């Protein structure tokens, strides 16, 4: 998938390749064209032999919150789960794993500010502001409390939403997202700083733009979206204060070849009170928060991994504890 992004032009000069590397890094939408469609006329897809069909859309629309008209889709039945996509993505990027989420949950999926069917609006893209918006949005949709799952850019939104309205979030999963800018490998920071409207032309044949073009109400906003995302990534963000406000159980999930430094993953977990001491054979010192580092996964694949989705759902459903030795021998 990443190779397809980097091969936009076989004549691209080396000085442009770092830009294309960044495009692939922040977009994570390259799976769109290979993934099954989840936006058909009836909102569903046919069942395949090896996985369940995604639940059909039961409700969709747009709601204005603080000047942004957020597009949302609601699928399935059961306890509510808010699903937030990555940068330059949209709801459809979860197509490969959506059946796992909708199997026994009601999923509220949202196109974030400037992404997919949600217009950019007239304000900058700021994760705390979007997080605050979503706390209002879910309330308007009739949910007093729900679980939240966010990937990458959406993970930062999820973190800030949960910090803004901890009483609204039952459990939280943050996938492949840092809590601060220094969580990224240092060589990526100048690449992030280079993102802007000037990349729009070279992206016209990429899955990121094509998937955006397929649903966006105003395709001419794409260069503006790149400018807005570049401005966001140039900010030296640090959401340590937001992490300290999390009162619900939290699970952090990363790939072992993620764009986030492993040291930062552990530091994030430490800030949540996890990994500070041995849990004890009766789990007497066990943190309620969890950290998973999944093998053979990069940042650009974690969001489409069935292993990730099933692990996240096990946590969100409150399960996953293996029997200890005493339980195995009936003591």
């Amino acid at each position: 998938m990443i190779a397809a992004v980097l091969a936009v032009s076989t004549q691209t000069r080396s000085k442009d390749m770092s830009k294309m590397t960044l495009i692939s890094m922040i977009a994570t939408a390259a799976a769109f064209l290979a993934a099954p469609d989840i936006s058909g006329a009836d909102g569903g897809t046919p069942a395949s032999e090896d996985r369940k069909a995604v639940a059909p859309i039961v409700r969709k629309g747009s709601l204005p919150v603080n000047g942004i008209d957020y597009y949302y889709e609601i699928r399935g039945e059961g306890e509510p789960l808010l699903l937030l996509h990555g940068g330059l993505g949209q709801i459809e990027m979860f197509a490969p794993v959506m059946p796992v989420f909708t199997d026994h949950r009601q999923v509220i999926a949202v196109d974030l500010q400037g992404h997919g069917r949600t217009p950019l609006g007239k304000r900058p893209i700021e994760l705390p502001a979007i997080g605050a918006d979503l706390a209002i949005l879910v309330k308007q949709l009739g949910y007093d409390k729900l679980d939240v799952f966010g990937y990458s850019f959406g993970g930062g939104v999820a973190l800030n939403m949960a910090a803004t309205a901890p009483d609204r979030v039952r459990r939280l999963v943050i996938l492949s997202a840092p809590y601060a800018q220094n969580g990224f490998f240092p060589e990526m920071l100048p690449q992030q700083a280079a993102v802007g409207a000037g990349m729009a032309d070279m992206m016209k044949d990429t899955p990121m733009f094509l998937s955006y073009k397929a649903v966006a109400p105003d395709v001419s906003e794409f260069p503006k979206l790149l400018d807005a995302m570049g401005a966001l990534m140039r900010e030296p963000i640090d959401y340590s204060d937001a992490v300290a406000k999390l009162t619900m159980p939290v699970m952090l999930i990363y790939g072992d070849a993620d764009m986030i430094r492993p040291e930062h993953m552990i530091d994030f977990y430490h800030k949540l009170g996890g990994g500070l001491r041995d849990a004890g054979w009766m789990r007497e010192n066990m943190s309620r928060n969890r950290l998973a580092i999944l093998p053979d996964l990069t940042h650009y694949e974690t969001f489409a991994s069935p292993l990730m989705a099933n692990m996240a759902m096990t946590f969100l459903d409150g399960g996953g504890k293996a029997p200890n030795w005493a339980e195995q021998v009936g003591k």
Side-chain angles (χ1 to χ4, degrees), residues 243-324:
V243 175
K245 295 177 182 177
L246 301 179
T247 59
M248 70 295 298
V250 180
M251 184 174 202
L252 306 175
I253 306 178
Y254 299 94
D256 63 351
D258 216 306
M259 70 167 66
I260 313 302
R261 295 184 298 109
E263 298 87 349
H264 188 83
M265 302 174 192
I266 301 300
D267 187 46
F268 200 161
Y269 190 45
H270 284 169
K271 285 182 178 296
L272 294 170
L276 299 176
R277 60 184 300 184
D278 175 62
W281 77 285
M282 294 297 292
R283 299 167 68 95
E284 62 270 19
N285 302 319
M286 187 76 169
S287 168
R288 66 176 178 173
N289 300 310
R290 300 289 175 264
L291 169 65
I293 301 177
L294 305 182
D296 198 29
L297 286 175
T298 73
H299 187 81
Y300 322 104
E301 300 151 358
T302 55
F303 67 93
S305 165
L307 174 62
M308 175 283 299
N310 282 287
M311 183 172 291
M313 286 308 306
T314 297
F315 170 77
L316 293 172
D317 290 341
K321 177 184 176 298
N324 63 36

Side-chain angles (χ1 to χ4, degrees), residues 28-36 88-94 207-208 211-212:
T28 65
F32 283 177
L33 298 186
L88 296 192
Q90 56 190 237
I91 293 169
E92 283 79 4
M93 77 184 310
F94 291 117
M208 290 78 77
S211 57
Y212 175 88

Side-chain angles (χ1 to χ4, degrees), residues 100-327:
V100 177
F101 296 125
T102 63
D103 178 54
H104 60 283
R105 290 299 194 102
Q106 182 160 81
V107 172
I108 306 97
V110 179
D111 280 345
L112 298 173
Q113 181 186 354
H115 292 70
R117 305 156 189 82
T118 297
L120 184 60
K122 298 184 181 299
R123 73 182 204 201
I125 290 180
E126 298 174 334
L127 302 189
I130 300 175
D133 289 349
L134 292 185
I136 296 171
L137 178 71
V138 296
K139 186 70 172 179
Q140 290 182 348
L141 290 173
Y143 300 98
D144 290 327
K145 198 160 190 171
L146 76 177
D147 293 329
V148 179
F149 174 106
Y151 162 65
S152 193
F153 171 67
V157 172
L159 165 60
N160 281 278
M161 175 188 173
T164 298
D167 57 322
R168 302 269 177 88
V169 180
R170 188 177 72 105
R171 285 177 176 259
L172 171 66
V173 173
I174 296 176
L175 172 64
S176 291
Y179 70 83
Q181 187 187 49
N182 65 12
F184 296 108
F185 284 102
E187 67 270 17
M188 303 184 73
L189 298 181
Q191 296 176 15
Q192 291 176 333
V195 170
M199 294 181 174
D201 285 344
M202 76 173 78
M203 291 183 67
K204 64 182 180 180
D205 294 321
T206 66
M208 290 78 77
F209 175 72
L210 293 175
S211 57
Y212 175 88
K213 179 181 178 182
V215 298
D218 182 0
V219 179
S220 70
E221 283 200 336
F222 189 71
K224 299 177 185 177
L225 173 59
L226 293 178
D227 273 342
M229 291 295 286
L232 170 67
M233 290 188 293
R234 286 188 289 273
E235 289 293 321
I237 60 170
D238 187 331
Y239 300 126
S240 296
D241 290 345
V243 175
K245 295 177 182 177
L246 301 179
T247 59
M248 70 295 298
V250 180
M251 184 174 202
L252 306 175
I253 306 178
Y254 299 94
D256 63 351
D258 216 306
M259 70 167 66
I260 313 302
R261 295 184 298 109
E263 298 87 349
H264 188 83
M265 302 174 192
I266 301 300
D267 187 46
F268 200 161
Y269 190 45
H270 284 169
K271 285 182 178 296
L272 294 170
L276 299 176
R277 60 184 300 184
D278 175 62
W281 77 285
M282 294 297 292
R283 299 167 68 95
E284 62 270 19
N285 302 319
M286 187 76 169
S287 168
R288 66 176 178 173
N289 300 310
R290 300 289 175 264
L291 169 65
I293 301 177
L294 305 182
D296 198 29
L297 286 175
T298 73
H299 187 81
Y300 322 104
E301 300 151 358
T302 55
F303 67 93
S305 165
L307 174 62
M308 175 283 299
N310 282 287
M311 183 172 291
M313 286 308 306
T314 297
F315 170 77
L316 293 172
D317 290 341
K321 177 184 176 298
N324 63 36
W325 199 355
E327 290 167 337

Side-chain angles (χ1 to χ4, degrees), residues 3-43:
V5 177
L6 297 178
V8 170
S9 171
T10 56
Q11 298 179 346
T12 301
R13 295 185 178 181
S14 59
K15 69 179 181 179
D16 293 326
M17 292 306 291
S18 62
K19 293 182 179 181
M20 292 309 300
T21 300
L22 175 60
I23 291 169
S24 66
M25 178 188 74
I26 66 168
T28 65
F32 283 177
L33 298 186
D37 180 29
I38 59 169
S39 58
D42 64 352

